Amino acid sequence: MFKFLAVFLLAILSVVSAIVINPVITTPNSRTKWRAGESYVVQWDTTYNDGTQIVPIPEMYKGTLKLGYFEGDDQYNEHLYWDLASGFNLNAGAYRITLPADLPTRTSYIVVLMGNSGNASARFTIRAARDTSA
């Protein structure tokens, strides 16, 4: 009996840990143009497909936001060099971040939202910070 119960609990834990929460990032999107050094709100859906239906993201899941970019036609190397935020609730649906001030202008930046999976935004533009030395 104990062996059966142990196997049953292990099976349940395997199913629970296999749930992938992969919310869709809604902002930034392909029309977004941000400026280095300024603050913006990243937004995402607060629901996910649990395999049978669309359900709200549970409170217990925390997120991390990273900034990266693609180079040329490379679709795989996300260059996730910048940590923007971590430890926030995924079910919040939004988080305010401040971009690093030293980012060069590029039209292929992405924001990646990580919970127990990663989901990248569409490519968008960040312009270099304004020169304030003049």
Side-chain angles (χ1 to χ4, degrees):
M1 178 67 174
F2 176 74
K3 187 175 181 180
F4 171 76
L5 185 57
V7 170
F8 179 72
L9 288 174
L10 188 58
I12 289 175
L13 288 174
S14 296
V15 170
V16 169
S17 66
I19 294 172
V20 175
I21 297 180
N22 197 9
V24 174
I25 298 171
T26 56
T27 303
N29 58 52
S30 61
R31 296 179 312 277
T32 299
K33 290 181 175 44
W34 286 350
R35 175 83 59 189
E38 295 186 12
S39 294
Y40 300 94
V41 175
V42 177
Q43 296 177 302
W44 58 89
D45 288 342
T46 59
T47 58
Y48 72 103
N49 187 330
D50 72 354
T52 59
Q53 62 185 341
I54 302 298
V55 296
I57 296 173
E59 260 186 61
M60 66 185 163
Y61 289 98
K62 302 294 183 191
T64 297
L65 287 168
K66 291 184 158 289
L67 178 68
Y69 63 90
F70 289 110
E71 275 190 298
D73 293 333
D74 183 358
Q75 296 292 313
Y76 304 103
N77 194 354
E78 295 177 328
H79 300 286
L80 298 174
Y81 298 134
W82 301 275
D83 294 326
L84 299 176
S86 64
F88 54 86
N89 290 334
L90 273 180
N91 68 348
Y95 198 82
R96 179 171 291 282
I97 54 95
T98 300
L99 295 173
D102 60 349
L103 296 172
T105 297
R106 191 183 297 270
T107 60
S108 60
Y109 282 104
I110 56 170
V111 169
V112 174
L113 175 61
M114 297 179 182
N116 65 350
S117 179
N119 192 20
S121 69
R123 292 179 186 209
F124 68 100
T125 300
I126 296 177
R127 295 175 295 208
R130 291 184 175 91
D131 183 8
T132 57
S133 62

